[in-house]
Amino acid sequence: MRIRIKEILEQGTAAGSRSFSGWVRSVRSSKEICFIVLNDGSTVDGIQIVAESTLPNFSDICRIGTGTALTVEGALVESPATGQQWELMATAITIIGDADASYPLQKKRHSFEYLRTIAHLRPRTNTFGAVFRLRSRLAQAVHHFFAENNFLYVHTPIITASDCEGAGELFRVSTLDAAAPPMLDGQTDFSQDFFGQKTGLTVSGQLEGELFALAFGDVYTFGPTFRAENSNTARHASEFWMIEPEMAFATLADDADLAEKFVRYLCRFALEECADEMAFFDKHIEKGLVERIARVAGADFVRMEYSEAISRLQNSGASFAYPVEWGLDLQTEHERYITEQIVGGPAFILNYPKDIKAFYMRQNEDGRTVAAMDLLVPKVGEIIGGSQREERLDRLELRMAELGIAGEPLWWYLDSRRWGSCPHAGFGLGFERLVMYLSGMENIRDVIPFPRTPRHCEF
Ligand code: 4AD
Ligand code: MG
């Protein structure tokens, strides 16, 4: 297997002479010597290569442009220059793929807005290199965490006939002729569609996750999630990844405890296992990031009742675009005020009004709230949404009837409450929002490789 620059740098002079490949980030040349920074995606900074005029193709090497693919042979030596411990004295350099001056990534810094227009090339920049290495390692850490805690990993379906969140934000999946669909009584006849019914892309794996929790105890899904909400914000994507654990014999308090343990684990993991990337973000994206995440990794998360959050917002003296009153669905401005100004760190908000939450949440004895929780974090706002589920069949059916949700298509969900039902709880962590939180990146479009948002589905 090819050796990576990361390994060469870790081995130091012990690496001996090695052959490796990567892409040129910068070239500086004079008559006698040429300095090339080469990056192969394995590290933030890459490696400085020293090419001397004794190389047979020295004149070709001096003319290469940023972005060129090279294979280099040589050994590490202590670098006399500051800013790097090692540099590599090249004994041979082969030009594998040229890049001329039209290569768009010539400047050292480009705006994130511009880089979104070249999402096919932005992985080759330092910032996006760091983002996507962090993202990859975090995804692996998610699986580690649940494996260590004996959760079963379940692959919930992506095509579904049920709208879990009941918000009507399903992308339709259909093979009917959009221009001339079969009609019945003035409406599209979905019985003639591929699945014989109306289907869409999943907005959450929760309902199926619950079925598995009632068999395996503790389970989680981690997969792509789709929402056709027309909100053009820095935190919403039409396609995103969600991690959804579900625990049987568990209450809302257990749910919050798991969420806290999980998020703190991921914070520690990022600091320890992605230290170079985190140092890069701290230097270039958000000053103080490492200290902020270290504080979160070590601190207890605040738990606050929704009603208390409302009164503290009302008494804050701050003015909001959406006026604060009991029953309000907290907006990002409120969420950020709570976590940034009132708490100064992550905070769970518990027991929301039932009218702003989904049908499946467990109804509290007060008759007006449900056992819901959101985890709010500075800068991002809501990062987790979860709840204890309504496990009592009669209460669940009553609530569905109140909300006009037909029971018949959810017969299988109701069946789970018919036999061996038990208190159970779970949550969904938005994976992109987690990456935003840990990297300091401020736009969801910049933490997912190829973002899908309203009117954008290129690449
Ligand atoms: O709060 P949500 O809608 O909760 C659910 O879907 C539950 N079924 C989860 C569960 O209990 N198993 O979404 C959960 C999280 C949010 O807190 C947010 O982090 C993320 O998913 N999320 C989005 N991330 C990016 N773009 C969007 N459009 C998102 N919508 C939700
Ligand atoms: Mg939510």
Side-chain angles (χ1 to χ4, degrees), residues 13 27 66 71 88 117 149 165 173 177 201 221 279 351 403 413 417 444:
T13 45
V27 196
T66 304
T71 293
L88 190 125
T117 68
N149 287 282
E165 293 305 297
V173 170
D177 179 356
L201 297 177
T221 74
N351 299 309
L403 293 170
Y413 188 69
R417 273 62 176 171
I444 196 164

Side-chain angles (χ1 to χ4, degrees), residues 165-185:
E165 293 305 297
E169 291 162 348
L170 240 55
F171 281 101
R172 294 255 84 85
V173 170
S174 174
T175 53
L176 294 179
D177 179 356
M183 303 295 284
L184 187 69
D185 301 332

Side-chain angles (χ1 to χ4, degrees), residues 232-250:
N232 243 316
T233 79
R235 309 180 170 72
H236 289 87
S238 316
E239 177 182 294
F240 61 99
W241 286 64
M242 185 155 53
I243 300 140
E244 295 182 276
E246 191 72 32
M247 297 178 289
F249 309 106

Side-chain angles (χ1 to χ4, degrees), residues 164-165 203-207 225 227 229 231 235-246 255 357 360-361 374-375 382-387 389 426-434 444:
C164 169
E165 293 305 297
V203 297
S204 161
Q206 178 196 322
L207 301 188
T225 310
R227 294 198 185 172
E229 38 185 346
S231 39
R235 309 180 170 72
H236 289 87
S238 316
E239 177 182 294
F240 61 99
W241 286 64
M242 185 155 53
I243 300 140
E244 295 182 276
E246 191 72 32
D255 205 25
K357 290 294 182 185
Y360 53 70
M361 295 191 182
D374 278 4
L375 177 63
E382 179 193 337
I383 192 167
I384 281 179
S387 61
R389 321 305 188 187
F427 63 81
L429 168 66
F431 189 52
E432 285 71 24
R433 293 199 188 170
L434 172 78
I444 196 164

Side-chain angles (χ1 to χ4, degrees), residues 31 45 55 69 109 115 120 128 146 156 199 216 237-238 266 270 285 287 293 358:
K31 266 202 176 68
D45 293 324
L55 290 175
R109 280 204 169 279
L115 290 173
H120 59 308
F128 287 90
F146 287 115
T156 50
T199 52
F216 296 94
S238 316
L266 294 169
I285 304 296
K287 302 260 175 296
I293 301 299

Side-chain angles (χ1 to χ4, degrees), residues 259-273:
E260 176 171 343
K261 187 177 169 189
F262 183 41
V263 170
R264 285 170 54 178
Y265 173 92
L266 294 169
C267 289
R268 262 197 314 277
F269 178 91
L271 293 174
E272 287 167 12
E273 303 292 323

Side-chain angles (χ1 to χ4, degrees), residues 66-85:
T66 304
T68 302
L70 297 181
T71 293
V72 178
E73 253 178 77
L76 278 189
V77 294
E78 296 265 358
S79 175
T82 52
Q84 69 220 3
Q85 192 185 356

